[in-house]
Amino acid sequence: MASDQENSQDANAPDDTSEKEITRGITIMKSIIRDRDKAVTYNVNWNADNQLIGSNAAKLASYIGTLVRMHIPITATRWSNKELGSVKDKIWTEILRSFNIEDTTIRKKYILQLAGKRHRGWRTFLTNKYLKDKEKKFVEYDPEYPVKYAIFITEEEWVAFVAQRRDENFKKVSATNRERASNPTYAYKKGRLGYARLEEKILDETKSDATSLPPHVLWKEARVGKDGTVRDDVQHIYDECETLSQSISTAEDQENRSVLSRALNVPEYPGRVRGKGHGCTPTSLYKNPRRRNPSNQEVMETLQALQAQVLQLQKDNERYRCMEKCSSQLKETSEKASINCQNKFPEGISSCQLYLSSPTYRLVGKGKVHNTSGDLLHHRPLPDGHLKVSVDVVLDKEALLPIPDIVSETTLLRDAIGSFVAWPLDLIFIDDEVFAQGSQQLSQKIGSRQKNKRDLPVTSLPKKRAFVPRYQISLETLVDSSDMATAGAIRSLDMEEDIFGYSCTETIGKEDLEHIFRHQELGVGVIHTYIRFLYDNFMRGNDQLSNRFRFPYNSGCHWLLLAIDPLKEVVYFLNSIDGEWTNYPDMKQLVDTSIKVFRSQRQARVPRTKSRNITWIKVQCPLQRNGIDCGYFVMRFMREIINMNQIEIPITYFDEYKCAHYTRLQLEQIKEELCQYFIEKRLLSI
């Protein structure tokens, strides 16, 4: 409440920038100075949105104007200038001596922002009064020094101020602002009352228990004339706000544009709330701060870190995938797919090489695989997707067993030499001479006409135009003439951080290349190398393209493509055997969790209806007709998606590439450009 000694005449004084003030003399708020000397202070009130209200609000506003005139030179063009810091602190101290205001950051910020508005109004008043004519055009003659305000303005300051205002750039800005403000679409009609005191007046008159009114309600009331009529266009905006408020949540209203800004079809500016007036911010209105949107660099860094986590989790989980499940899915899609995963191994005992896929895909040992019906491991059935293997040679002394031996309590591969362990099917590779015999038997079963290791057992090539895989032949010759001809030899391929979100090294062995030459199932190393090829040739330096879609996925024995748009939270599911994503619950849970983590890290807010639902879209992509081609299909899917460079993948796939099945030639093209990449980059140089 106001003090008994407050001066009613000063409290009702018009704004310093009004022309009426000039006829009454200079407002310097002497009553406040006298009361301050008597140790009398004034109480002020604040509403729920931290805006100044109450009977002394106008007095404080006028006093702020006086202090600004006294301490801030009219030549100060930017209120945010650091050189004004000490003067602002002095103004704040003077206000605290006369008004009971908490000495807090939020109160000081409000008062000094109001002081900045008073300073701009003071400079505008001087410009309009002394530098412009009645038609609001700048005068050509030198304006006289305003002696009346000599206590505020020195002659030197006046000369400098006039020069600033006569600058051509300032004149252009002034003309633009005058034109914009000359004919507002929805004119404000409450004079000096302001939104905060208008809200206070409405709440008092209606005797409402509410502490605040919605912005669009205040906006409408501020445009009601003295006769109480409301223009039709104003009422239309209000009605549209009422409709929008029923469908937009408070969180969405805060995070995006308010209902009033939506109805007016205007942008929302940071740090303010349209229709609430000076001092009301998203923080005060919504009772929690509007989160800062992360920069593009921060989003990409978070996305890359998340991608690295997902890829590592994928590698760690590969050995636990069920091979039997893959086999049953392949049976449903093709007669040729009815091959049990174990049938790729000759029956009986065969020499083999043992690989691990985590933390990198690598050869770790040699031994013998026992592919016999009903075989047991330590009197127990083998886990699904595994075969019994005897370990003869260890190449990586630190390698862990895929499944620890609970009988002997063995965890390291080196401790299992001479004993039997369970090994994942997709990480066992038969030695070349043994494989050749088994491959021939398998070819007879599926009608293959394979005559040498470069013949392709799946489909025949067009007869009209013979296709020569010259890069595959050249690469195979290069391999045979290098140390890569030795089983177990590898090459390392550095993967830059921008590819997977973290720097790593991929290993490529002779067996990986043999899979390409013989058109066999592809491993992680080949797929990752092709991703490196796509990055080098199409995505390097193109942040928009390289960050649009991500992540191929291996279910354990079958390659899928998950094209993930993490910002829109959409997952495009491309499966060349026409399975549903519901067949891979672990995969879906992993991806959904990763997207939610990314959502949290980039501080995104989504409607409640979507917070638990990430959009999965099954794309009707070309389908394979055998149990081998999934890796080749995934590589071609990635190639075509990058070629199209679209922000979305159509459900029926791209018209330019739409087909029921890829031809053998289309897959050979992928293999050729991959082999060409190996050669031209000298990744396997001797």
mmCIF file of all heavy atoms in Angstrom, residues 478-492:
data_model
loop_
_atom_site.group_PDB
_atom_site.id
_atom_site.type_symbol
_atom_site.label_atom_id
_atom_site.label_comp_id
_atom_site.label_asym_id
_atom_site.label_seq_id
_atom_site.Cartn_x
_atom_site.Cartn_y
_atom_site.Cartn_z
ATOM 1 N N LEU A 478 44.462 -59.121 -56.986
ATOM 2 C CA LEU A 478 45.279 -58.376 -56.031
ATOM 3 C C LEU A 478 45.381 -59.126 -54.707
ATOM 4 O O LEU A 478 46.457 -59.208 -54.109
ATOM 5 C CB LEU A 478 44.674 -56.983 -55.808
ATOM 6 C CG LEU A 478 45.376 -56.077 -54.793
ATOM 7 C CD1 LEU A 478 46.805 -55.793 -55.230
ATOM 8 C CD2 LEU A 478 44.596 -54.778 -54.626
ATOM 9 N N VAL A 479 44.271 -59.686 -54.252
ATOM 10 C CA VAL A 479 44.271 -60.437 -52.996
ATOM 11 C C VAL A 479 45.169 -61.662 -53.103
ATOM 12 O O VAL A 479 45.969 -61.959 -52.207
ATOM 13 C CB VAL A 479 42.832 -60.842 -52.610
ATOM 14 C CG1 VAL A 479 42.845 -61.829 -51.445
ATOM 15 C CG2 VAL A 479 42.010 -59.611 -52.255
ATOM 16 N N ASP A 480 45.053 -62.389 -54.220
ATOM 17 C CA ASP A 480 45.829 -63.624 -54.391
ATOM 18 C C ASP A 480 47.330 -63.358 -54.469
ATOM 19 O O ASP A 480 48.139 -64.247 -54.161
ATOM 20 C CB ASP A 480 45.374 -64.361 -55.653
ATOM 21 C CG ASP A 480 43.974 -64.943 -55.497
ATOM 22 O OD1 ASP A 480 43.535 -65.102 -54.336
ATOM 23 O OD2 ASP A 480 43.315 -65.206 -56.515
ATOM 24 N N SER A 481 47.706 -62.142 -54.874
ATOM 25 C CA SER A 481 49.127 -61.830 -55.015
ATOM 26 C C SER A 481 49.687 -61.119 -53.788
ATOM 27 O O SER A 481 50.851 -60.722 -53.796
ATOM 28 C CB SER A 481 49.349 -60.949 -56.252
ATOM 29 O OG SER A 481 48.639 -59.728 -56.124
ATOM 30 N N SER A 482 48.892 -60.964 -52.777
ATOM 31 C CA SER A 482 49.348 -60.288 -51.563
ATOM 32 C C SER A 482 49.321 -61.256 -50.393
ATOM 33 O O SER A 482 48.951 -62.423 -50.535
ATOM 34 C CB SER A 482 48.458 -59.080 -51.263
ATOM 35 O OG SER A 482 47.171 -59.509 -50.839
ATOM 36 N N ASP A 483 49.713 -60.767 -49.223
ATOM 37 C CA ASP A 483 49.665 -61.613 -48.047
ATOM 38 C C ASP A 483 48.234 -61.915 -47.621
ATOM 39 O O ASP A 483 48.003 -62.733 -46.740
ATOM 40 C CB ASP A 483 50.418 -60.955 -46.890
ATOM 41 C CG ASP A 483 49.792 -59.642 -46.462
ATOM 42 O OD1 ASP A 483 49.075 -59.022 -47.278
ATOM 43 O OD2 ASP A 483 50.025 -59.223 -45.311
ATOM 44 N N MET A 484 47.267 -61.240 -48.252
ATOM 45 C CA MET A 484 45.865 -61.530 -47.953
ATOM 46 C C MET A 484 45.468 -62.923 -48.416
ATOM 47 O O MET A 484 44.400 -63.423 -48.048
ATOM 48 C CB MET A 484 44.954 -60.492 -48.622
ATOM 49 C CG MET A 484 45.007 -59.109 -47.992
ATOM 50 S SD MET A 484 44.246 -59.069 -46.361
ATOM 51 C CE MET A 484 42.529 -59.257 -46.789
ATOM 52 N N ALA A 485 46.290 -63.535 -49.246
ATOM 53 C CA ALA A 485 45.986 -64.892 -49.701
ATOM 54 C C ALA A 485 46.057 -65.886 -48.548
ATOM 55 O O ALA A 485 45.508 -66.992 -48.632
ATOM 56 C CB ALA A 485 46.954 -65.302 -50.813
ATOM 57 N N THR A 486 46.713 -65.497 -47.481
ATOM 58 C CA THR A 486 46.832 -66.374 -46.320
ATOM 59 C C THR A 486 45.587 -66.253 -45.457
ATOM 60 O O THR A 486 45.144 -65.147 -45.145
ATOM 61 C CB THR A 486 48.060 -65.989 -45.477
ATOM 62 O OG1 THR A 486 49.224 -66.027 -46.306
ATOM 63 C CG2 THR A 486 48.226 -66.940 -44.311
ATOM 64 N N ALA A 487 45.018 -67.388 -45.098
ATOM 65 C CA ALA A 487 43.830 -67.370 -44.251
ATOM 66 C C ALA A 487 44.159 -66.693 -42.931
ATOM 67 O O ALA A 487 45.186 -66.960 -42.317
ATOM 68 C CB ALA A 487 43.333 -68.793 -44.005
ATOM 69 N N GLY A 488 43.282 -65.824 -42.500
ATOM 70 C CA GLY A 488 43.471 -65.115 -41.240
ATOM 71 C C GLY A 488 44.095 -63.746 -41.397
ATOM 72 O O GLY A 488 44.108 -62.960 -40.448
ATOM 73 N N ALA A 489 44.637 -63.436 -42.602
ATOM 74 C CA ALA A 489 45.221 -62.115 -42.826
ATOM 75 C C ALA A 489 44.112 -61.067 -42.888
ATOM 76 O O ALA A 489 43.016 -61.329 -43.376
ATOM 77 C CB ALA A 489 46.031 -62.106 -44.124
ATOM 78 N N ILE A 490 44.419 -59.886 -42.381
ATOM 79 C CA ILE A 490 43.404 -58.835 -42.337
ATOM 80 C C ILE A 490 44.016 -57.516 -42.778
ATOM 81 O O ILE A 490 45.232 -57.348 -42.827
ATOM 82 C CB ILE A 490 42.810 -58.673 -40.922
ATOM 83 C CG1 ILE A 490 43.911 -58.303 -39.913
ATOM 84 C CG2 ILE A 490 42.084 -59.929 -40.477
ATOM 85 C CD1 ILE A 490 43.382 -57.950 -38.540
ATOM 86 N N ARG A 491 43.134 -56.564 -43.099
ATOM 87 C CA ARG A 491 43.502 -55.178 -43.334
ATOM 88 C C ARG A 491 42.614 -54.309 -42.440
ATOM 89 O O ARG A 491 41.460 -54.647 -42.188
ATOM 90 C CB ARG A 491 43.298 -54.787 -44.796
ATOM 91 C CG ARG A 491 44.306 -55.382 -45.752
ATOM 92 C CD ARG A 491 45.694 -54.765 -45.544
ATOM 93 N NE ARG A 491 46.608 -55.182 -46.599
ATOM 94 C CZ ARG A 491 47.347 -56.274 -46.570
ATOM 95 N NH1 ARG A 491 47.247 -57.099 -45.526
ATOM 96 N NH2 ARG A 491 48.166 -56.562 -47.563
ATOM 97 N N SER A 492 43.179 -53.200 -42.008
ATOM 98 C CA SER A 492 42.437 -52.281 -41.143
ATOM 99 C C SER A 492 41.960 -51.083 -41.951
ATOM 100 O O SER A 492 42.697 -50.559 -42.794
ATOM 101 C CB SER A 492 43.315 -51.800 -39.976
ATOM 102 O OG SER A 492 43.687 -52.887 -39.156
#
